[in-house]
């Protein structure tokens, strides 16, 4: 492992510690949970069309005073932005941590791509006036992103806990 760290340090300039990666992965998982929760709040308050034109909120890029539905919808977008940024950080860190499985790295990339895919899918959902199939697709993709984030966090936790490779092939 020492030679792997030295090689990574010379190639990329730094290495992310397994414990630091686990913390980032856990933060991303929590953020994705809050994205789903804030999306549920948007749905329960019927604020999905609070911002009339996608990706803007009316004439301004952010909601105007007094429009509660637009504020709720815009807040959901900001929570999602935090989730996307954390997914990006997690994916970048997954490339710098030693001992992370291929599953962990692939799941980190999948979570990032899924979080990014939520942007146009949210736009399509608004354009289709919250058609139930579009809303459910948006929700199901969010659940997939959360599941991938959980996989990354569990893989990171396994790296910190000292999980070792199987002694025999899976077959």
């Amino acid at each position: 492992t020492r030679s792997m760290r030295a090689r990574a340090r010379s190639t990329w300039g730094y290495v992310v510690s397994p414990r630091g990666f686990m913390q980032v992965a856990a933060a991303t998982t929590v953020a994705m949970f809050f994205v789903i929760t804030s999306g549920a709040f948007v749905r329960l308050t019927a604020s999905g069309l609070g911002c009339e034109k996608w990706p803007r909120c009316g004439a301004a890029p952010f909601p105007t005073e007094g429009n509660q539905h637009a504020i709720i919808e815009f807040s959901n977008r900001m929570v999602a932005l935090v989730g996307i940024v954390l997914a990006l950080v997690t994916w970048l860190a997954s490339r710098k941590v030693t001992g992370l499985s291929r599953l962990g790295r692939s799941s980190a990339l999948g979570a990032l791509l899924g979080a990014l895919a939520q942007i146009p899918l949210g736009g399509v959902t608004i354009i289709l006036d919250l058609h139930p199939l579009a809303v459910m697709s948006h929700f199901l993709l969010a659940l997939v992103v959360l599941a991938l984030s959980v996989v990354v966090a569990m893989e990171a936790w396994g790296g910190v806990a000292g999980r070792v490779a199987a002694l025999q092939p899976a077959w």
Side-chain angles (χ1 to χ4, degrees):
T1 57
R2 189 169 193 48
S3 64
M4 287 174 45
R5 286 186 186 149
R7 188 174 34 183
R9 203 172 274 124
S10 67
T11 304
W12 300 102
Y14 64 91
V15 174
V16 175
S17 73
R19 184 166 301 282
F21 179 70
M22 183 183 71
Q23 292 169 345
V24 169
T28 302
T29 302
V30 170
M32 294 306 172
F33 174 77
F34 281 124
V35 169
I36 292 173
T37 303
S38 68
F41 189 71
V42 167
R43 183 76 177 135
L44 290 173
T45 59
S47 300
L49 295 176
C51 294
E52 302 86 29
K53 295 183 179 182
W54 187 85
R56 301 171 65 89
C57 267
F62 49 87
T64 58
E65 285 184 38
N67 188 347
Q68 178 183 355
H69 291 300
I71 292 169
I72 292 170
E73 170 64 22
F74 186 77
S75 298
N76 178 50
R77 292 178 185 184
M78 293 300 101
V79 170
L81 180 63
V82 169
I84 290 170
V85 169
L86 282 170
L88 174 63
V89 169
T90 301
W91 174 67
L92 291 173
S94 76
R95 301 176 69 208
K96 308 288 186 182
V97 68
T98 57
L100 184 65
S101 68
R102 184 175 179 176
L103 174 66
R105 282 184 174 75
S106 300
S107 296
L109 177 60
L112 172 62
L113 294 176
L116 289 172
Q118 287 286 62
I119 298 169
L121 186 54
V124 167
T125 302
I126 290 171
I127 291 168
L128 294 176
D129 289 327
L130 303 179
H131 188 278
L133 289 176
V135 171
M136 288 310 299
S137 298
H138 195 47
F139 175 62
L140 290 175
L141 181 56
L143 289 178
V144 168
V145 171
L146 176 63
L148 289 170
S149 298
V150 169
V151 168
V152 175
M154 294 301 293
E155 289 293 311
W157 178 62
V160 170
R163 184 184 61 209
V164 296
L167 295 175
Q168 49 187 316
W171 50 270

